Amino acid sequence: MSYYVTTPIYYANSLPHLGHLYTMLVADTIARSKRQQGIETFFLTGTDEHGINIERAAQRNNRSPKEQADYVVSYYTKMTAAFGLDTAHGGYDIFMRTTNAFHYEGASELWRRVAKAKTPKGNDALYKGHYEGWFCAACASYKTEDEYAAASEPGEPPTCLVHETKLDRVSEESYFFRLSDYAEALLELYERPDFVRPEARRNEVKSFVAGGLQDLSVSRLKKSVSWGIPVPDDPNHTMYVWFDALSNYITAIGFGNEQQNRAVGFDKFWPAQHVMGKDILRFHAVYWPAFLMAGGVEQPRGIYAHGMWVDPSGRKMSKTLGNTVELDVLHKYFSIDAIRYFCLREMVFGQDGRFGYENLIDRTNSDLASDLGNLSSRTLTMIHRYCEGRIPAGTISDESRLAAKRAGVEDEMAMSHFVLHARDEFLREFDELAFSRALEDMWSIVARADKMISDAKPWDLAKDAKQRETLNAVLYRAAESLRWLCVLLYPVMPSAAREIYKQLGMDKDVSKIDPRGLTWGDLPVGQTIAEVKPLFPRIDKAKTMEQIKQEAGAGSQEPETERGSTPTAKEGAVVGDSASPQGSGQHATEADAVPGVTRIDITDFAKVDLRVGEVKTAERIPKADKLLLITVDIGEEKPRQILAGIAQYYEPEKLVGRKIVVVANLKPRKLRGYESQGMLLAASVGEEGKPVIATFAEDVPNGARLK
Ligand code: MSP
């Protein structure tokens, strides 16, 4: 039996934040749980190192693309070690890099196979054509009209809605993958239970494919993108970065390279369970299976797309918005187990999760310090105090049964059934990758054991010699529940599980105990327990929040916080100065990575003149199905005329009379022959970027300034 789990390979143009760490934590937890069950497991993570985006980051930093990748990888190496995710700590088995020579060979082999393949409809899977379109380097994909915002200046390129960076016009000879021929085959694949999870994501993918697929450009001319894998037998072309990147999942285990195959074993580990954020589900659930079909390679075991971490106000965490959670800060103030627990507990299956340091502190204090930590320390302390530090017997003789019941001690059968049931539920939810629900099951054990102690009051029982059996029974049940919790929680909280297990006096390696084999009553009576040490110290919320804010890492808590510069690496940080090949001591973050994105100070913001306006008229524009022509009173002599790309979502009649927010000092521009004298503000919602106009709950006069 074997199992293979992967995270995405992360772009080597910028340093990771909590979002990247999260997928690693999920995959690491899955890998640990499989290994614990005796299944031979291979866990892959790594970096995606080719493409124009990395070339550009390298140029900005005066590095070669490979140096840029090495720099980012050196951060990852330190970060994964600091968070206990590397091989030495029982984490990943390979840190995959697409610049590995064996990857070049494997990716080329896949390409060659695709180049020879016929589609399910009998056509050539690959053909040469000509492509012209707007390309986003940061997304590494071409953008359709609804995925970009038109430029404010005539002649300027449009802007990517995801990255808010300018798009490149690309027109060149290109190899095309005949994706359009794969729709039926893909739809059939989605019928496989568990192929795409969760269900809502699977439905999204299905309807996307059912809506028809366009052929996919899978190469760029070498003269436009040279940093990549050359197309086999046609070195004027470079492989499309997603073809290159996706193939890492098979090249890592030996596809197309005998040496790597001997070292890992393609047949042993493939197919993989892929884990990724929903942002890149389409690449994994549509393109990748189609490439594999063409290459004659078996499909993945499954594709699991988790939600995204958003900041406390619900905005996606991204470098562009400057609201990412910095890993150095996280590492400095929180234990790894607390971070792991929080991430897995807080992100509900299939949904986005809100990350705030305050939530993290609250959960650490309540679920870990007060619940689990307290159950463990009070149980073990009482065993020291009342039972000379040895696990007491849990059996209750017939004579004491009534007294025990009166004291609120659980019947052994009832307790063991309860724990057993929670274990089965936990494992089932875990298999479904529904970690949050699985952890709730574990906390039901914590709550039940805790209640039993509070009801039975061992400190009172200890005063009465006749209650000895009852006292022992309470403590045995609590200690045995703890033993089960250690085994079950190990994949989520490796250090805490090991520590409690040790304190219980157990000498086995908890990472190797199969939870499916747990039997109630196996905790040896008479076993000497170890010294009780606090596990999860309570965090002083006010003090820690203050410190975090001062660290300048509180951007996500307080979007208005000014951050003039990126934080410098400091002692104890995940990456110290030595990690920077330039020795600058600068912690290379967003400024290093994302073009044109810098934090602004208040004077920059003040340059934007935002005004309250009232829509006076609104009408459609002939032959422009996305644009509305509106006139808006912003307290000036004459209403402004504004063109807004909202026609697909708003009826013009319904807009008249509405209060909106207008950017009043934008240079006028011409669109479809009309002058637009400003811009209205709207939220961009969902993947399709549906506009939702910003408005006011209270009455405000036209022309009032927003600041
Ligand atoms: N290089 C591609 C992936 C190629 S895989 C063959 C890529 N890289 S990335 O650096 O942008 O990483 C994206 C992934 O990072 C997401 O799919 C997710 O796993 C993780 N996350 C990045 N930001 C995230 C959040 N805000 N929340 C949760 N996960 C996030 O795409």
Side-chain angles (χ1 to χ4, degrees):
M1 263 257 264
S2 68
Y3 191 87
Y4 177 25
V5 60
T6 69
T7 71
I9 47 167
Y10 304 103
Y11 288 129
N13 62 325
S14 62
L15 299 183
H17 58 69
L18 171 78
H20 306 100
L21 175 75
Y22 173 69
T23 317
M24 286 193 189
L25 294 182
V26 170
D28 180 83
T29 303
I30 297 172
R32 283 176 200 267
S33 130
K34 296 291 172 193
R35 289 190 189 118
Q36 199 185 21
Q37 297 179 14
I39 299 166
E40 194 175 359
T41 302
F42 195 76
F43 162 22
L44 169 147
T45 190
T47 38
D48 183 352
E49 304 187 1
H50 291 134
I52 191 147
N53 212 18
I54 282 123
E55 259 181 277
R56 286 185 181 163
Q59 262 163 21
R60 276 196 308 280
N61 295 309
N62 278 330
R63 298 178 184 135
S64 71
K66 181 64 169 47
E67 280 167 355
Q68 169 67 26
D70 288 347
Y71 172 61
V72 171
V73 169
S74 76
Y75 183 91
Y76 268 96
T77 309
K78 293 196 178 195
M79 183 279 273
T80 51
F83 281 90
L85 294 163
D86 60 350
T87 312
H89 292 88
Y92 60 70
D93 295 285
I94 191 170
F95 190 93
M96 185 59 187
R97 301 187 58 175
T98 52
T99 45
N100 286 339
F102 67 79
H103 173 71
Y104 273 59
E105 277 185 41
S108 305
E109 170 63 16
L110 183 66
W111 181 283
R112 284 201 187 91
R113 288 205 195 180
V114 172
K116 275 191 248 146
K118 294 282 180 205
T119 69
K121 298 193 170 160
N123 298 309
D124 288 339
L126 211 64
Y127 64 93
K128 229 180 209 181
H130 213 79
Y131 193 90
E132 179 161 347
W134 290 110
F135 187 84
C136 171
C139 299
S141 65
Y142 286 97
K143 296 277 147 180
T144 54
E145 217 176 314
D146 51 354
E147 290 170 326
Y148 59 70
S152 50
E153 297 283 335
E156 284 287 302
T159 318
C160 168
L161 288 180
V162 181
H163 292 93
E164 294 171 23
T165 46
K166 287 195 173 26
L167 300 181
D168 298 314
R169 188 71 184 164
V170 175
S171 164
E172 60 185 30
E173 186 187 75
S174 166
Y175 282 96
F176 279 80
F177 178 74
R178 206 180 300 273
L179 188 64
S180 54
D181 270 10
Y182 287 84
E184 285 83 5
L186 287 168
L187 288 170
E188 208 182 304
L189 190 59
Y190 305 142
E191 292 310 308
R192 231 175 74 183
D194 292 351
F195 186 67
V196 178
R197 281 185 286 180
E199 187 67 19
R201 297 275 102 77
R202 172 198 189 195
N203 292 335
E204 268 170 33
V205 172
K206 266 168 88 167
S207 57
F208 172 74
V209 173
L213 292 174
Q214 307 237 320
D215 291 350
L216 189 69
S217 160
V218 285
S219 75
R220 296 286 306 272
L221 278 182
K222 189 168 185 229
K223 64 177 164 56
S224 4
V225 181
S226 60
W227 179 237
I229 304 182
V231 163
D233 314 314
D234 195 349
N236 284 335
H237 286 261
T238 307
M239 265 182 215
Y240 171 47
V241 58
W242 274 99
F243 188 96
D244 162 357
L246 287 161
S247 68
N248 98 90
Y249 296 137
I250 53 176
T251 65
I253 53 171
F255 178 89
N257 180 286
E258 213 17 68
Q259 206 181 336
Q260 189 65 8
N261 193 24
R262 270 199 303 277
V264 186
F266 179 80
D267 291 337
K268 189 191 251 165
F269 289 112
W270 189 253
Q273 171 65 50
H274 298 309
V275 181
M276 85 250 23
K278 65 180 183 187
D279 55 333
I280 52 173
L281 175 62
R282 191 179 294 179
F283 297 94
H284 283 79
V286 182
Y287 301 171
W288 180 226
F291 296 157
L292 289 172
M293 276 179 208
V297 181
E298 194 187 335
Q299 291 300 323
R301 175 195 291 263
I303 294 164
Y304 167 58
H306 59 69
M308 305 304 275
W309 284 105
V310 295
D311 69 13
S313 41
R315 298 175 314 163
K316 189 185 154 187
M317 202 171 279
S318 81
K319 304 221 168 187
T320 316
L321 291 172
N323 61 351
T324 56
V325 173
E326 302 296 335
L327 298 184
D328 285 352
V329 175
L330 206 55
H331 187 258
K332 182 165 171 189
Y333 291 99
F334 301 94
S335 78
I336 296 167
D337 279 355
I339 297 165
R340 293 174 72 105
Y341 171 77
F342 176 84
C343 284
L344 292 168
R345 176 68 186 78
E346 196 77 8
M347 172 93 77
V348 176
F349 189 51
Q351 295 174 19
D352 288 346
R354 268 172 208 251
F355 186 97
Y357 288 110
E358 302 213 11
N359 299 354
L360 172 53
I361 296 173
D362 288 343
R363 273 229 182 263
T364 307
N365 285 344
S366 68
D367 298 13
L368 299 182
S370 300
D371 295 349
L372 180 63
N374 192 37
L375 173 67
S376 168
S377 69
R378 77 201 292 211
T379 303
L380 295 165
T381 306
M382 287 191 285
I383 293 177
H384 274 297
R385 191 169 300 153
Y386 306 131
C387 311
E388 289 158 352
R390 287 167 183 273
I391 302 286
T395 43
I396 301 175
S397 61
D398 286 347
E399 301 89 78
S400 307
R401 199 165 304 274
L402 197 64
K405 203 175 174 113
R406 251 193 237 124
V409 180
E410 292 263 12
D411 177 63
E412 183 131 45
M413 277 292 259
M415 185 80 182
S416 67
H417 271 134
F418 180 81
V419 171
L420 201 101
H421 179 71
R423 185 266 316 264
D424 291 346
E425 283 297 292
F426 175 86
L427 293 177
R428 192 181 55 75
E429 321 254 44
F430 225 79
D431 268 351
E432 286 173 8
L433 311 176
F435 305 107
S436 180
R437 287 206 298 267
L439 287 168
E440 276 176 34
D441 288 324
M442 288 302 96
W443 257 250
S444 72
I445 301 181
V446 175
R448 187 142 170 170
D450 207 49
K451 180 167 185 308
M452 181 185 60
I453 295 176
S454 300
D455 289 350
K457 301 188 184 60
W459 44 94
D460 285 345
L461 297 174
K463 292 178 195 148
D464 180 354
K466 285 204 274 325
Q467 298 276 28
R468 184 77 227 180
E469 268 194 15
T470 307
L471 169 66
N472 286 351
V474 176
L475 295 179
Y476 185 86
R477 284 160 182 59
E480 176 62 335
S481 303
L482 273 175
R483 184 179 71 95
W484 281 56
L485 285 166
C486 290
V487 175
L488 287 157
L489 289 175
Y490 161 76
V492 179
M493 294 192 282
S495 307
R498 281 207 170 97
E499 183 55 33
I500 303 178
Y501 207 62
K502 204 172 86 201
Q503 293 185 22
L504 278 168
M506 307 294 295
D507 54 11
K508 290 212 186 80
D509 181 354
V510 71
S511 73
K512 298 204 171 73
I513 297 183
D514 187 344
R516 295 169 302 180
L518 282 169
T519 309
W520 181 268
D522 273 358
L523 175 65
V525 173
Q527 172 166 282
T528 309
I529 62 166
E531 188 193 338
V532 185
K533 290 191 195 132
L535 289 158
F536 304 106
R538 283 192 81 77
I539 301 176
D540 180 333
K541 189 167 168 183
K543 195 171 133 210
T544 308
M545 285 307 298
E546 197 42 51
Q547 286 170 331
I548 291 176
K549 273 182 200 161
Q550 279 170 14
E551 291 262 358
S556 65
Q557 288 290 329
E558 300 216 336
E560 72 278 11
T561 305
E562 275 182 51
R563 280 219 278 163
S565 61
T566 52
T568 46
K570 57 206 149 296
E571 221 181 72
V574 176
V575 169
D577 290 7
S578 59
S580 162
Q582 296 173 328
S584 63
Q586 266 281 304
H587 170 153
T589 56
E590 44 268 45
D592 188 75
V594 183
V597 178
T598 39
R599 283 167 206 289
I600 58 169
D601 62 27
I602 199 76
T603 51
D604 290 318
F605 176 71
K607 288 182 197 150
V608 186
D609 189 9
L610 295 172
R611 300 280 171 170
V612 175
E614 185 183 333
V615 180
K616 290 295 179 192
T617 62
E619 60 186 282
R620 293 186 187 279
I621 297 180
K623 294 204 200 103
D625 45 349
K626 293 195 172 153
L627 289 177
L628 284 188
L629 179 66
I630 58 176
T631 54
V632 191
D633 176 358
I634 58 165
E636 296 170 328
E637 244 174 57
K638 224 171 91 204
R640 293 270 188 118
Q641 168 173 299
I642 291 177
L643 287 159
I646 54 172
Q648 286 169 317
Y649 299 92
Y650 284 93
E651 292 297 326
E653 309 71 65
K654 295 211 177 120
L655 283 175
V656 176
R658 254 183 96 153
K659 296 277 183 179
I660 60 171
V661 180
V662 172
V663 183
N665 59 341
L666 208 59
K667 287 184 192 149
R669 63 180 176 135
K670 263 209 165 152
L671 275 173
R672 308 259 171 182
Y674 298 86
E675 185 177 88
S676 186
Q677 303 158 334
M679 187 176 108
L680 65 78
L681 289 194
S684 172
V685 178
E687 276 171 8
E688 81 275 22
K690 176 183 163 195
V692 177
I693 295 178
T695 190
F696 295 92
E698 280 130 353
D699 206 6
V700 267
N702 298 342
R705 179 147 195 206
L706 280 86
K707 41 188 187 170

